[in-house]
Amino acid sequence: MKMIPLNNELTIPAIGLGTWKSAPGEVGNAVIEAIKAGYRHIDCAAIYGNEKEIGNALRTAFEQGIVRREELWVTSKLWNNAHLTEDVIPALRATLRDLQLNYLDLYLIHWPVAFKPNIISPDKAEDYLPLAVAPVAQTWKAMEEAVNNGLTKSIGVSNFSIKKLESLLNTCHIKPVVNQVELHPYLAQHELLEFCKHHEIVLTAYAPLGSGDRPKNMKKEDEPGLLENQVICKIADKHQCSPAQVLIAWHLHRNSVVIPKSTNSTRLKQNLESEKIVLDQGDMNTISTLNTDYRYVDGSFFVMEGNSYTNIFDE
Ligand code: A2P
């Protein structure tokens, strides 16, 4: 498995199993199948609502000797309703309880957006906390405390723009190791990739396959398909592999981490085997023509008149 070095001396497996949208009743089995197939990196989040089932699967995997805890990389994410300094560690402890772990390998601030503590999904502007009340710098202090307490080995962010990273880098004591963002050939994010490389922050790609199983209210009618894209399909034919494997190999070529989601044992094995697909510079140049800065997950669900989150990606 390709490992990518982080700025804190640790290394992260380049391909991880995504668990966003993995249904209850399916995700546990997917995690076990993935570990048996050789995955050593599972990407989770409290808001995915499936950490308890994943925790049971991890316990089974450890008990059955399929993998040891120290061989596995487990990421989770702080939900938006726990950004106040005093709420971070309790949220992390709840995730650890659900996952049945003593520590995480990586804990991320899920979004640069804060809700009031009892709100899981806001439906009005008053459900949000303004950034001035819950500044990222304060949340980050508690994230740093979690590292110092041994509750997580590394900390990072998700959905952060260059502007937000710059501001965090100005105040942090422990640098984020990872910024997890939407990344695929339609949203190549060259500038963000370069910025992060310069600051030794690794990008992790979510929605690498276009995330076609998103709930209807998060989908637009005229979305471009990634797995069906003719350029990707042609390169897949050339390498005698699947379009998904080309999309995953593209991230490996760019030295990003990639977390394709699957609950299907054949597809999750296929995704892991993408490591064998080595794209050449010609393939990379051809794929780079596909960039249109298109977001599947555009953050518009956080935009409400009267809240302070109208331009999450600073675009
Ligand atoms: P499934 O879980 O049934 O395999 P993303 O990682 O971008 O969020 O995309 C996840 C979607 O892509 C899911 O619908 C998942 O379905 C599907 N998927 C995962 N792996 C593959 C693959 N190798 N080929 C085609 N579709 C895939």
Side-chain angles (χ1 to χ4, degrees):
M1 162 68 70
K2 176 178 178 181
M3 303 292 287
I4 297 186
L6 301 175
N7 66 34
N8 62 354
E9 313 279 304
L10 298 178
T11 56
I12 183 170
I15 300 178
L17 180 72
T19 63
W20 175 38
K21 314 175 259 70
S22 295
E26 289 182 7
V27 68
N29 190 47
V31 166
I32 302 230
E33 288 292 316
I35 294 172
K36 281 187 180 160
Y39 279 80
R40 290 295 175 265
H41 172 176
I42 315 289
D43 183 84
C44 315
I47 194 62
Y48 301 163
N50 53 16
E51 288 193 326
K52 279 192 178 154
E53 187 173 331
I54 295 174
N56 286 334
L58 293 178
R59 193 191 58 216
T60 303
F62 300 144
E63 280 175 3
Q64 292 186 355
I66 305 169
V67 72
R68 292 197 310 270
R69 171 67 188 96
E70 56 275 23
E71 294 170 325
L72 202 60
W73 182 281
V74 183
T75 299
S76 184
K77 311 183 192 88
L78 176 78
W79 189 230
N80 305 345
N81 62 358
H83 275 216
L84 293 174
T85 317
E86 64 273 21
D87 293 337
V88 173
I89 301 261
L92 171 51
R93 285 194 191 278
T95 270
L96 287 172
R97 255 194 321 273
D98 287 348
L99 291 172
Q100 303 185 42
L101 299 176
N102 298 326
Y103 69 91
L104 289 178
D105 296 279
L106 177 60
Y107 199 43
L108 305 177
I109 296 183
H110 205 148
W111 286 90
V113 174
F115 306 161
K116 287 187 176 159
N118 52 345
I119 302 293
I120 291 174
S121 177
D123 50 29
K124 50 186 179 316
E126 298 76 65
D127 290 342
Y128 290 79
L129 288 176
L131 271 177
V133 175
V136 168
Q138 289 299 318
T139 310
W140 193 254
K141 271 193 184 153
M143 298 287 283
E144 292 175 331
E145 193 187 325
V147 175
N148 295 331
N149 290 347
L151 297 175
T152 184
K153 291 194 185 286
S154 320
I155 47 177
V157 293
S158 182
N159 297 298
F160 270 46
S161 62
I162 291 178
K163 186 175 166 196
K164 291 191 169 68
L165 285 173
E166 273 172 341
S167 144
L168 178 59
L169 288 170
N170 276 337
T171 57
C172 68
H173 295 286
I174 301 179
K175 265 170 73 164
V177 295
V178 156
N179 183 20
Q180 183 177 127
V181 294
E182 179 180 341
L183 211 56
H184 44 68
Y186 296 149
L187 185 67
Q189 308 225 48
H190 294 296
E191 218 187 318
L192 182 64
L193 185 69
E194 278 313 307
F195 177 90
C196 286
K197 208 184 277 177
H198 180 72
H199 290 279
E200 300 179 296
I201 299 168
V202 170
L203 282 187
T204 295
Y206 77 70
L209 310 179
S211 235
D213 55 347
R214 263 166 300 128
K216 275 208 178 90
N217 62 355
M218 285 184 74
K219 284 180 99 162
K220 289 171 221 111
E221 264 173 27
D222 53 350
E223 285 187 356
L226 254 184
L227 290 164
E228 306 81 35
N229 180 281
Q230 284 312 301
V231 169
I232 300 296
C233 290
K234 216 169 148 194
I235 295 175
D237 285 346
K238 174 182 147 187
H239 288 274
Q240 297 187 317
C241 68
S242 72
Q245 289 179 311
V246 170
L247 292 168
I248 295 166
W250 180 76
H251 291 287
L252 301 182
H253 196 284
R254 289 166 31 121
N255 234 8
S256 293
V257 175
V258 54
I259 47 166
K261 171 266 175 186
S262 184
T263 44
N264 172 283
S265 67
T266 307
R267 285 192 286 276
L268 63 83
K269 280 185 198 128
Q270 183 197 108
N271 295 345
L272 189 65
E273 283 167 10
S274 309
E275 215 181 350
K276 295 186 193 143
I277 313 301
V278 180
L279 301 180
D280 58 43
Q281 200 48 50
D283 300 328
M284 293 303 287
N285 294 344
T286 307
I287 294 174
S288 72
T289 64
L290 297 179
N291 186 33
T292 52
D293 298 334
Y294 182 82
R295 288 186 188 276
Y296 290 106
V297 183
D298 63 9
S300 55
F301 36 84
F302 292 134
V303 179
M304 277 181 208
E305 214 181 316
N307 78 8
S308 51
Y309 302 103
T310 47
N311 189 5
I312 292 170
F313 297 112
D314 300 305
E315 285 172 335

